[in-house]
Amino acid sequence: MLIGVIPFELAWIVDVLSGARWIGMTSYMFEVARSLFLKALSLFHVMLPVMTIFILRRVGYDPRALKAQTLLIWIVLPVTYLATDPAENINLVFGFGPEPQTLMHPLLHLALEMILVPAVVCWPSHLLVQRVLGRTDTREPDARH
């Protein structure tokens, strides 16, 4: 999961530290009408990468993660597209901003996102995590030893 979420989580952290002026994805954190409880719950965005890196430092990084994360993306994005309201734009399946995009057919946008997220987010993250955290040998242990 780290390679699929860490760039977005880091963007969330930078955005909240900038007062939601960088991307605007954390503007809800600065709305007076939102409860302090809701804002506190949102701080999981800070702990998620920290805990995931901590765990992977202990158990190692499985190089099969890129394939698994890509498969998960290819399942989650179409399901999100089919099951959610375009006005909510969950997982950005209707546009790369807060509003659904209108430049291309929505299914073309979905297809592009299904290609771009693994290629632009997961693959570079995979290479970085593999280099920094190392790899786990995924071969079965020899039963004779």
Side-chain angles (χ1 to χ4, degrees):
M1 291 303 297
L2 178 68
I3 64 171
V5 299
I6 198 163
F8 299 110
E9 297 302 331
L10 294 176
W12 188 95
I13 293 166
V14 170
D15 196 52
V16 81
L17 291 175
S18 76
R21 291 183 292 267
W22 185 53
I23 302 173
M25 69 192 299
T26 62
S27 59
Y28 69 94
M29 292 290 284
F30 302 94
E31 294 173 1
V32 178
R34 303 278 182 170
S35 73
L36 187 57
F37 178 72
L38 173 70
K39 294 174 186 180
L41 283 177
S42 293
L43 294 177
F44 84 88
H45 290 287
V46 176
M47 290 308 299
L48 183 64
V50 172
M51 292 304 298
T52 309
I53 290 168
F54 173 77
I55 292 167
L56 288 179
R57 284 183 55 103
R58 291 187 59 97
V59 301
Y61 177 71
D62 189 335
R64 298 175 295 178
L66 180 60
K67 290 178 187 173
Q69 185 66 32
T70 300
L71 179 62
L72 182 63
I73 287 167
W74 289 349
I75 293 168
V76 168
L77 292 181
V79 169
T80 304
Y81 180 88
L82 293 171
T84 64
D85 182 2
E88 295 175 10
N89 200 17
I90 296 173
N91 292 331
L92 305 177
V93 294
F94 295 100
F96 289 124
E99 302 292 324
Q101 61 82 32
T102 57
L103 297 174
M104 64 184 81
H105 192 281
L107 288 174
L108 178 57
H109 170 81
L110 177 63
L112 285 173
E113 185 178 11
M114 291 174 67
I115 293 167
L116 288 174
V117 171
V120 175
V121 175
C122 298
W123 184 59
S125 297
H126 168 75
L127 295 176
L128 179 66
V129 170
Q130 230 176 350
R131 176 170 276 240
V132 172
L133 296 177
R135 307 167 60 137
T136 299
D137 188 358
T138 57
R139 294 176 293 185
E140 291 295 320
D142 191 352
R144 292 175 285 151
H145 297 290

